[in-house]
Amino acid sequence: MLAKNYKLPIRNFLLKKPKTFSRSVNFIIRMMPNVLSFGRFGVIISKKVASKATKRNQIKRIIFNFIKVNKIHLQPGRDILITVLPKADSLDKKEIEKNLKTELKKI
């Protein structure tokens, strides 16, 4: 898991209009610049994606682990919010990571 200072306060982020927007079948990624020396990330997964909290938390852990392993959080000046769409429930770990990698390259 990422350290707490790398996690995005989602409520504050949603009040502002994101600068960059990317959408795929499985994810919506919103990006906004910040003045910090590191990037912050947030993940939103609704009950429509998976009815069980354990499945939603598993997807969230996969995403945060992908960010940590690839050191994306060390890139300065970006707040990124990842919204998981219902079709992502059927993906396994490798497919989620592959889709995230391609979407984050677009931003």
Side-chain angles (χ1 to χ4, degrees):
M1 282 303 261
L2 286 175
K4 190 172 184 175
N5 61 333
Y6 296 120
K7 293 203 177 173
L8 180 66
I10 294 172
R11 291 180 192 224
N12 297 341
F13 185 86
L14 291 175
L15 296 175
K16 302 172 187 173
K17 184 125 175 128
K19 301 286 182 195
T20 308
F21 185 88
S22 175
R23 184 182 178 104
S24 72
V25 176
N26 301 312
F27 303 105
I28 298 173
I29 299 179
R30 297 175 180 97
M31 195 275 292
M32 212 164 133
N34 68 20
V35 293
L36 303 173
S37 62
F38 53 87
R40 297 183 298 180
F41 291 86
V43 178
I44 296 177
I45 304 176
S46 72
K47 283 188 177 181
K48 291 180 183 178
V49 176
S51 60
K52 301 230 181 228
T54 54
K55 181 65 175 171
R56 292 193 304 269
N57 290 335
Q58 179 185 22
I59 294 171
K60 196 179 285 192
R61 280 194 306 270
I62 290 170
I63 293 171
F64 279 126
N65 189 40
F66 171 79
I67 292 167
K68 183 178 179 181
V69 168
N70 292 309
K71 297 184 173 38
I72 299 170
H73 62 286
L74 298 178
Q75 297 173 356
R78 297 194 309 176
D79 287 343
I80 296 178
L81 180 65
I82 301 169
T83 305
V84 181
L85 298 177
K87 290 191 177 184
D89 180 38
S90 61
L91 301 177
D92 65 345
K93 182 180 177 181
K94 297 213 184 258
E95 291 173 333
I96 290 174
E97 291 175 350
K98 180 182 166 191
N99 288 340
L100 266 179
K101 193 172 196 173
T102 57
E103 287 304 310
L104 288 173
K105 283 183 181 179
K106 290 180 184 178
I107 293 182

